[in-house]
Amino acid sequence: MGMEGIGASVVRKEDKRFITGKGRYVDDIKLVGMTYAHFIRSPHAHAKVKSIDSSAAEAMPGVVAVLTGKQIVDDKVGNLICGWAITSKDGSPMKMGAWPAMAPETVRFVGQAVAVVIADSKNLARDAAEAVVVEYEELPAVADMPSALKPGAPQLHPEAPGNVVYDWHIGDEAAVGAAFSKAAHVVSLELTNNRLAPNAMEPRAAIADYDAAEEHFTLYTTSQNPHVARLVLSAFYNIAPEHKLRVIAPDVGGGFGSKIFIYPEEMVALWASKKVGRPVKWTGDRTEAFLTDAHGRDHISKAEMAFDADHKMLGLRVKTHANFGAYMSLFSSSVPTYLYATLLSGQYNIPAIYAEVMGVYTNTTPVDAYRGAGRPEASYLLERLVETAARQFKMDPAELRRKNFITQFPHQTPVIMAYDTGDFNASLDAAMKAIDYAGFPARKAAAKAQGKLRGIGLSCYIEACGIAPSKAVGSLGAGVGLWESAEIRVNPVGTIEVLTGSHSHGQGHETTFCQLIADRLGVPISQVSIVHGDTDKVQFGMGTYGSRSAAVGLTAILKAMEKVEAKAKKIAAHALEASEGDIVIENGEFKVTGTDKSIALPMVALAAYTAHNLPDGMEPGLKESAFYDPTNFTFPAGTYICELEVDQATGKTSFVNFVAADDFGRLINPMIVEGQVHGGLVQGIGQALLEHAVYDGNGQPVTASFMDYAMPRADDVPSFKLSHTTTLCPGNPLGVKGCGEAGAIGASAAVINAITDAIGNNKLEMPATPDRVWHAIHGNA
Amino acid sequence: MYETTYHRASSVDEAAALFSKGSEAKFLAGGHTLIPVMKQRLASPSDVIDIGKIKDLIGVQLSGDTLTIKAATTYYDIMTNADVKKAIPAIAHLTSVLGDPAVRARGTIGGSIANNDPAADFPAALVSLGATVKTNKRSISADDFFKGLFTTALEDGEIITEVSFPVPEKAGYAKMRHPASRFALTGVFVTKTKGGDVRVAATGASQSGVMRVSAIEAALKSNWSASAIDGVSVSSSGLLSDIHGSADYRANLVKVMAQRAVQAAG
C-alpha cells in the first residue's frame, strides 16, 4: 500500500548514517577508564603450552594485567559449547573435546589464544604482549581430513578417537540400494567444497564493562544475535545470570554467519573486566579475523545417482567428510547434517536418498555456518552431479532437470523436508529466456571460430530458510527454539517504535520492517523507528541468520501489529460511536466504513494514553508484543545460468552473462532484495573462482591476508540480470521466503558447470583458478 | 619500542643528511611496503624520511630519445602523462594495470624498483627497456640494479632520483594479475630497441625476481611476431610455485604473456 508499503523499493533509511560515517560500531565506543586487550596467540597448529612467563610484561608501563588460560579455567569460566547435539549411526552422542576460552595446556590451531595482556592503550598492550615469553612443545599436526583419518594420525582430543566427531547418516540405505540395483544408469562424482574465510568488512570486537556495585556486566559486541549471546554466556559460561548481563550489538558491519557464534574473545573480555575492575576493549585486526573467525564449508564428498532407462532419478547416495577444524563451534555440528543433507533432494523428485556424514577434527580454525551454511554444499554437489549426468546421457541439462522436477506440492522428500510450494519450471523458463538459452549453440560456435572456449552452466537450487519451527529443530537436536519476538509501541503522539529480536548487520531491516507498518497503517516510514540489538530494550530474540528475518522476524512484528490494530480499532470505534467491525484503517486514519467519519492515528494513540475516554475495562496504552513460531521452513528456489568464456592459453575465465531467476515469495523491498542477491552471487562466484582458505601440511595458514586470500572485486564479477517468479509461501501470512543466502547457495555450481562445459573436462575443483583451469584444459588435472 | 620520527625532506640532500643522522632510518615514498611492514611490527625504523614530496623528484621529461621519469612520480601521474603515452605507451599501460586506483594514486616508480618485489611490474619495464637508474651518487644500468628477491645495487642511504628509458622502436607489456594482490602472477615486457636489439623481461615468474628470457629474445630477434614464440620452450625450473600458480603454469604464462606483449607492441 502506498509509496512506502510492501513491494516498494524504498531507499534505505539507515544509509544516511552509514554513508556519512555516522554509524556507531563497537570500536567507535569509548568508555571512561577503558583498557585494551591484546591476545597472545599460538604460532603452532598443535603444541603443549609448557610455560608462560609474563613477569617482564607485567612490569611494563601501562600494563594492567596479563591473564592466562590456566587462570580462566581456575576461575571456572565454562568451556565453549556446541549447541546442536548430533547422534552417530551407532546411537552414540557426538564426541567433543573441551574448548576453553584460552588454552591452559594444549593449543590446537594457529591463532588460538593462550594469554591476554590488558593495558592502558592498544599499543602498550601490544608492546607488552611481545615481552610475554611462551614456551611451547610442538606436537605433530593434521591439517586436512585425509591426514586426520589415517591410522596412527596425531590425535587432537582424547574424547574423539580417530579425530572423528560423529559418523551420522540420514535416509533409507536399503531403499537406495534397491534403487541402484535396478538402475539403468549410474552417475558418480567426487568433489570438494573449498574452505572459505568469511571476511565481514568489520572485524569482530567486544567491550566488556563490569559494574562491581551492581555485579552487572554490559557487553558491546559484534553479534548477529545478542540475546542468544546473553543466553549462552549466562547459562553455559558462568559469566553472570541473565538479569546481570546486558548485551548490546550496535551497528555491525556484516556477519555472513561468522558473528552468530560466541567467541573466546568476548568471554575473556567479560571475565577480565571483572578481574581488573575496568572496562576492557578488544578489536580484532584482519589477521586475527582470518585466524579466528569461524571458517565455512570444507567438505569432501562422493555422490552417486541412479537413473532409470528414461533418465528419471531413482536414488541418490552421498558420502561426505566435513572438516570442523580444531574445536566444535556453536552451531557447527548442524551445518553438514541437518542444514546440508536435508537439502540433497534439491528441486527433484528423488524417491530414495541416503547420506552419510563424518565430522572430522583437524588442526585448523573451527568451521561453522557461513552464508548458506550446508545448503551451498548440498546444492553444489547435486547440481554438478545432475550436469554430469546430462553430459553422460548426452542430454540437454535443462531437459534432464525438467524431467525430474517436483511439480506437485506439498512434496515430502526422503530427507525430512516437506516443500510447501514452488514452481521450478517457471524459474527455469525465466532464466533460460533471460539468457537466450536457445541461442547458445550458435554463440558457442561463433566463439569457437574466434578461438574462444564458451560454456553455459545451470544451477537449480533450493534452500530451507526462515529457520524454523522450534519443535522440529528441537526434535533434531537443536539446543534452542527458533521463533522470533517483536514489540510495537505506539507512542502518545502516534509515532511508532518497533522492537525486534532480529538483528540488522547490513540487511536493511530499519527500512523493510518500517514498510510493513507503513503498509498496515498508511503512515510514512519516517514516523516509525526500528529498535534492535540490545537485550535491555528488546524483550527477546533469536537473531538474524538463515534468511529468517522476514519470514520469522517480520511475521512476529505483523502478529504484534495485529494486536495493536485490534485495540486501536476498539478505541476508534468507541470515539466515533461506531461498531468495531466497521472500522477500517486508511492513510493513517481509522474510518467508519461507508461514512466520512474518521479519527487519525495520533488521536487514537493519545486517547490510549490519556485514558480519559476508553471503552469500559480497557487498559490504557497502545503497546503489544508477540512471539511467532513458524510451522515450517520456507523454501526459496530458483535457477541461475552462467555463460562464460575461457582463455585456452591462460585458463582465465571471463563472464559473458549471468542470469538469476529467484522465487522468494512476496518481496518487501525489491531494491534491497536485489542487493542481497548481488552480494550472495558475488560470494558464490568468489567461492567458485577465487576464495580458498589454505593450510600447509603443518597446519600453518597460507592465506591469512588479502595479499593471498582472493576476495572478489567489482571487476571480477559480471553485471547480473535478475528476475523473480513468485509462489507465495503458505507458511506465513506475508508469503515471504527469504533472500539472504540464495545467491551464495546457487551461484557456484552455475559457474563451475559453465567452465567444465567450456573446456570439456568435468574434473575441476573450486576455486577454479586460471592455473587449475589451464591444467584441466591440457588434460593433466 | 616502536616509536619513530617522521621527517618530510624538501630536498634530496636534506633527505640524505637526515638518513645519515638516524640510527636506523628508512626512506618513505608511496609507503606501500614500509607502512604495512611497520604496522606488522616487522620493521621499526628510528626515523622515517618522507621523500615523496620533494619537488625535484617528481615529474616526467622527454628529451630526444630519452624518457626520464623522476623517482617520486606516482603511477597515476605516469599513466596519464602525455610524454609517456607518446614515447613509450607500454609504460602507460603497465601503470594502468598496476594495483588498483588507490595504489596508483600513491605508489611511485622509485619505491617499486627500490623494493624490487619479485612480482612488481616496473622491474620488468626497466630491464626490458635497458633503463638507467640514477641515484644521488651514480648511475646504474637496470641489468646491474636488480640483484634478486628484494635486493638491489643500492647502497645504504642511497636515493634513487630518476629512471631514464631509451625510447624504443616498439615495446609492449602483458600481465596476468595475481587474483588477490594484483601484483603480476606473471608479467612480460618486450622491447625492440631502435638499434634492433630485442630484450624480454619477465616478472612474477622467477624465484630470483625479474629475469631476462633469452630463448624468447632469440626467437623475436629473428622474427618479431607472436607466432615466433610458438615453438619456444620455457623451463619451469627455478620458477615460483604457490597456490595461485604452479611453476609449469607460470612457465606457460611467460610464453603467453610474451606473445600478448608482442601483439600489444605491434
Side-chain angles (χ1 to χ4, degrees):
Chain A
M1 186 193 279
M3 301 287 287
E4 297 181 328
I6 287 175
S9 286
V10 180
V11 171
R12 293 178 11 137
K13 288 175 76 174
E14 48 269 73
D15 282 349
K16 184 177 176 187
R17 74 172 189 277
F18 293 146
I19 291 170
T20 58
K22 303 293 184 192
R24 188 164 180 262
Y25 299 87
V26 172
D27 193 53
D28 294 323
I29 296 166
K30 291 179 178 64
L31 303 182
V32 174
M34 192 163 76
T35 63
Y36 296 81
H38 186 90
F39 284 89
I40 296 159
R41 300 185 181 280
S42 170
H44 306 295
H46 199 188
K48 288 262 178 232
V49 180
K50 299 284 284 181
S51 64
I52 298 176
D53 180 358
S54 58
S55 51
E58 281 167 27
M60 286 170 71
V63 173
V64 178
V66 180
L67 305 171
T68 65
K70 186 176 180 308
Q71 286 169 286
I72 200 166
V73 171
D74 288 349
D75 281 359
K76 305 213 171 352
V77 172
N79 291 328
L80 279 82
I81 60 153
C82 178
W84 196 309
I86 298 292
T87 305
S88 285
K89 282 175 195 173
D90 64 5
S92 63
M94 60 184 185
K95 299 176 173 64
M96 294 202 304
W99 185 6
M102 293 192 291
E105 201 174 300
T106 307
V107 287
R108 296 182 177 86
F109 68 96
V110 172
Q112 186 175 5
V114 296
V116 65
V117 177
I118 312 291
D120 287 337
S121 81
K122 209 169 170 171
N123 277 329
L124 290 171
R126 213 174 151 191
D127 289 348
E130 289 177 22
V132 176
V133 181
V134 185
E135 193 191 345
Y136 296 96
E137 177 193 331
E138 275 190 76
L139 299 172
V142 282
D144 58 74
M145 292 189 280
S147 308
L149 293 172
K150 269 187 196 149
Q155 300 289 297
L156 270 81
H157 300 279
E159 298 88 343
N163 297 317
V164 174
V165 179
Y166 55 63
D167 186 7
W168 174 89
H169 67 162
I170 189 171
D172 187 335
E173 186 177 16
V176 170
F180 275 82
S181 64
K182 68 176 181 188
H185 311 279
V186 172
V187 176
S188 64
L189 186 65
E190 288 179 35
L191 42 71
T192 63
N193 201 288
N194 42 322
R195 176 186 280 242
L196 305 175
N199 284 315
M201 194 179 289
E202 180 205 18
R204 291 188 295 112
I207 302 171
D209 183 13
Y210 180 65
D211 177 339
E214 297 290 336
E215 296 180 338
H216 179 279
F217 291 89
T218 302
L219 173 67
Y220 302 84
T221 185
T222 47
S223 174
Q224 299 178 212
N225 33 233
H227 284 88
V228 176
R230 186 183 65 167
L231 171 68
V232 173
L233 288 163
S234 294
F236 298 99
Y237 300 161
N238 309 326
I239 299 292
E242 281 160 302
H243 66 301
K244 293 292 186 184
L245 173 58
R246 177 184 185 186
V247 179
I248 300 170
D251 284 332
V252 173
F256 312 113
S258 70
K259 292 173 183 168
I260 297 172
F261 326 118
I262 293 88
Y263 287 90
E265 290 83 0
E266 289 102 275
M267 298 163 64
V268 171
L270 285 161
W271 167 72
S273 172
K274 184 175 179 181
K275 263 194 131 51
V276 304
R278 288 167 65 182
V280 174
K281 176 190 256 189
W282 170 75
T283 304
D285 64 21
R286 188 56 64 184
T287 306
E288 287 180 299
F290 274 109
L291 297 179
T292 65
D293 291 4
H295 287 175
R297 320 277 193 257
D298 207 345
H299 287 191
I300 300 175
S301 296
K302 184 174 182 199
E304 293 174 286
M305 192 176 268
F307 290 84
D308 70 12
D310 188 34
H311 305 116
K312 289 259 195 192
M313 296 171 182
L314 295 174
L316 172 66
R317 186 152 51 202
V318 176
K319 193 169 174 65
T320 292
H321 287 97
N323 191 345
F324 284 129
Y327 297 98
M328 293 300 287
S329 175
L330 191 62
F331 289 112
S332 57
S333 56
S334 66
V335 175
T337 50
Y338 291 110
L339 296 180
Y340 163 70
T342 54
L343 271 303
L344 285 170
S345 195
Q347 298 189 357
Y348 310 108
N349 195 349
I350 310 177
I353 298 175
Y354 179 66
E356 296 167 278
V357 179
M358 184 178 278
V360 182
Y361 276 129
T362 61
N363 292 110
T364 60
T365 297
V367 178
D368 205 326
Y370 167 66
R371 202 171 191 171
R375 291 151 294 167
E377 296 91 316
S379 193
Y380 177 69
L381 176 141
L382 191 61
E383 287 306 289
R384 279 207 64 188
L385 186 62
V386 171
E387 198 82 13
T388 303
R391 289 174 195 166
Q392 194 168 314
F393 305 154
K394 302 202 184 325
M395 262 181 91
D396 177 354
E399 271 322 298
L400 180 62
R401 286 177 167 88
R402 214 184 275 286
K403 193 185 256 291
N404 287 284
F405 274 164
I406 295 160
T407 53
Q408 302 292 317
F409 296 92
H411 174 87
Q412 176 63 53
T413 73
V415 277
I416 297 178
M417 292 297 173
Y419 300 164
D420 50 7
T421 187
D423 186 345
F424 306 146
N425 276 304
S427 46
L428 177 61
D429 288 341
M432 287 169 72
K433 188 165 176 238
I435 206 158
D436 181 21
Y437 190 80
F440 177 74
R443 296 196 297 277
K444 186 178 176 94
K448 194 177 178 187
Q450 296 188 331
K452 296 281 178 64
L453 300 175
R454 189 175 282 217
I456 198 162
L458 282 75
S459 172
C460 298
Y461 76 90
I462 190 165
E463 48 169 334
C465 290
I467 56 172
S470 300
K471 205 170 161 181
V473 298
S475 73
L476 302 177
V480 290
L482 287 171
W483 41 264
E484 197 44 270
S485 103
E487 184 184 341
I488 294 179
R489 298 177 186 163
V490 181
N491 297 318
V493 290
T495 57
I496 299 164
E497 288 162 299
V498 177
L499 295 89
T500 170
S502 298
H503 185 273
S504 187
H505 36 279
Q507 291 84 352
H509 296 167
E510 289 172 42
T511 305
T512 49
F513 288 6
C514 290
Q515 288 182 249
L516 173 70
I517 309 302
D519 202 76
R520 301 288 301 193
L521 297 179
V523 298
I525 61 172
S526 59
Q527 278 189 28
V528 187
S529 62
I530 305 297
V531 178
H532 68 97
D534 185 339
T535 58
D536 264 14
K537 292 180 181 169
V538 178
Q539 56 185 3
F540 214 94
M542 297 312 297
T544 291
Y545 39 82
S547 307
R548 68 193 302 274
S549 294
V552 192
L554 191 56
T555 304
I557 294 171
L558 175 64
K559 296 288 180 190
M561 197 62 211
E562 285 169 353
K563 294 182 191 175
V564 165
E565 288 169 18
K567 183 171 183 182
K569 280 183 178 176
K570 283 196 175 79
I571 297 168
H574 182 73
L576 296 169
E577 297 178 337
S579 157
E580 189 190 328
D582 290 338
I583 303 292
V584 292
I585 307 172
E586 277 175 26
N587 299 322
E589 295 196 323
F590 291 74
K591 294 181 177 170
V592 182
T593 186
T595 74
D596 60 357
K597 290 207 292 183
S598 70
I599 178 169
L601 172 66
M603 299 311 293
V604 173
L606 196 60
Y609 286 94
T610 58
H612 295 161
N613 183 23
L614 290 175
D616 284 347
M618 179 183 274
E619 287 179 14
L622 193 52
K623 176 192 90 78
E624 299 288 346
S625 73
F627 284 68
Y628 172 70
D629 200 343
T631 54
N632 194 356
F633 294 86
T634 66
F635 297 95
T639 293
Y640 297 157
I641 307 182
C642 172
E643 185 171 334
L644 48 74
E645 282 184 354
V646 175
D647 181 341
Q648 295 188 65
T650 63
K652 190 169 165 53
T653 300
S654 310
F655 288 100
V656 176
N657 207 346
F658 196 109
V659 302
D662 293 295
D663 180 356
F664 297 137
R666 192 187 307 284
L667 307 184
I668 309 293
N669 182 322
M671 179 195 72
I672 288 178
V673 170
E674 196 172 316
Q676 287 286 320
V677 176
H678 282 181
L681 290 173
V682 170
Q683 283 179 315
I685 290 170
Q687 170 162 32
L689 295 180
L690 297 162
E691 297 186 50
H692 197 186
V694 180
Y695 290 83
D696 74 10
N698 298 317
Q700 287 293 329
V702 174
T703 49
S705 87
F706 287 133
M707 292 297 279
D708 300 296
Y709 188 92
M711 284 288 279
R713 304 184 202 201
D715 64 352
D716 289 317
V717 295
S719 286
F720 302 109
K721 280 189 201 159
L722 308 188
S723 64
H724 299 281
T725 60
T726 302
T727 58
L728 295 179
C729 177
N732 64 67
L734 292 163
V736 297
K737 297 185 182 180
C739 66
E741 298 162 290
I745 289 168
S748 52
V751 174
I752 300 300
N753 284 340
I755 298 175
T756 53
D757 177 52
I759 65 176
N761 182 352
N762 200 41
K763 198 166 158 47
L764 184 68
E765 298 285 11
M766 301 189 292
T769 59
D771 183 348
R772 283 180 170 175
V773 174
W774 181 79
H775 279 100
I777 291 170
H778 294 86
N780 46 354
Chain B
M1 199 173 192
Y2 291 93
E3 281 179 1
T4 191
T5 305
Y6 172 87
H7 310 268
R8 180 177 286 182
S10 54
S11 71
V12 174
D13 288 346
E14 186 194 351
L18 285 165
F19 188 92
S20 61
K21 274 192 269 175
S23 61
E24 209 177 313
K26 285 274 184 196
F27 293 119
L28 174 86
H32 281 128
T33 304
L34 183 61
I35 300 295
V37 168
M38 287 174 69
K39 283 168 81 171
Q40 290 167 41
R41 297 190 156 185
L42 298 172
S44 51
S46 60
D47 299 82
V48 171
I49 301 155
D50 187 349
I51 55 174
K53 303 289 185 294
I54 297 174
K55 285 201 176 65
D56 288 347
L57 290 184
I58 299 170
V60 175
Q61 284 167 353
L62 178 62
S63 146
D65 270 347
T66 303
L67 179 76
T68 301
I69 303 176
K70 295 190 174 167
T73 312
T74 64
Y75 303 131
Y76 178 82
D77 285 344
I78 296 168
M79 179 178 91
T80 53
N81 183 277
D83 285 337
V84 173
K85 288 199 237 180
K86 184 175 131 201
I88 314 179
I91 289 181
H93 170 68
L94 176 146
T95 43
S96 78
V97 294
L98 192 160
D100 54 34
V103 167
R104 293 195 286 272
R106 280 207 80 89
T108 67
I109 183 173
S112 171
I113 62 172
N115 188 47
N116 193 19
D117 187 294
D121 297 276
F122 259 112
L126 266 72
V127 170
S128 176
L129 287 161
T132 302
V133 179
K134 206 171 155 196
T135 74
N136 58 341
K137 295 180 178 164
R138 59 193 166 138
S139 289
I140 312 166
S141 77
D143 287 335
D144 296 333
F145 182 82
F146 299 105
K147 299 281 189 192
L149 293 189
F150 300 104
T151 311
T152 67
L154 289 173
E155 287 165 6
D156 209 28
E158 193 171 5
I159 299 171
I160 301 169
T161 56
E162 61 187 40
V163 182
S164 296
F165 298 91
V167 176
E169 187 186 322
K170 290 175 177 183
Y173 182 62
K175 167 189 184 184
M176 184 70 155
R177 286 174 156 197
H178 186 291
S181 70
R182 298 272 160 119
F183 274 84
L185 192 60
T186 288
V188 177
F189 203 106
V190 299
T191 300
K192 187 174 191 181
T193 69
K194 288 196 167 167
D197 197 12
V198 172
R199 294 171 63 95
V200 175
T203 186
S206 166
Q207 290 171 12
S208 23
V210 61
M211 66 168 184
R212 297 272 296 272
V213 192
S214 53
I216 293 176
E217 289 178 350
L220 289 175
K221 199 155 187 180
S222 57
N223 175 13
W224 178 267
S225 73
S227 59
I229 304 170
D230 283 345
V232 173
S233 163
V234 176
S235 166
S236 61
S237 158
L239 297 194
L240 293 163
S241 189
D242 55 40
I243 60 165
H244 298 290
S246 51
D248 62 336
Y249 179 67
R250 280 185 159 94
N252 171 63
L253 283 182
V254 169
K255 192 169 150 175
V256 174
M257 291 302 126
Q259 290 178 310
R260 291 184 184 176
V262 169
Q263 281 163 348

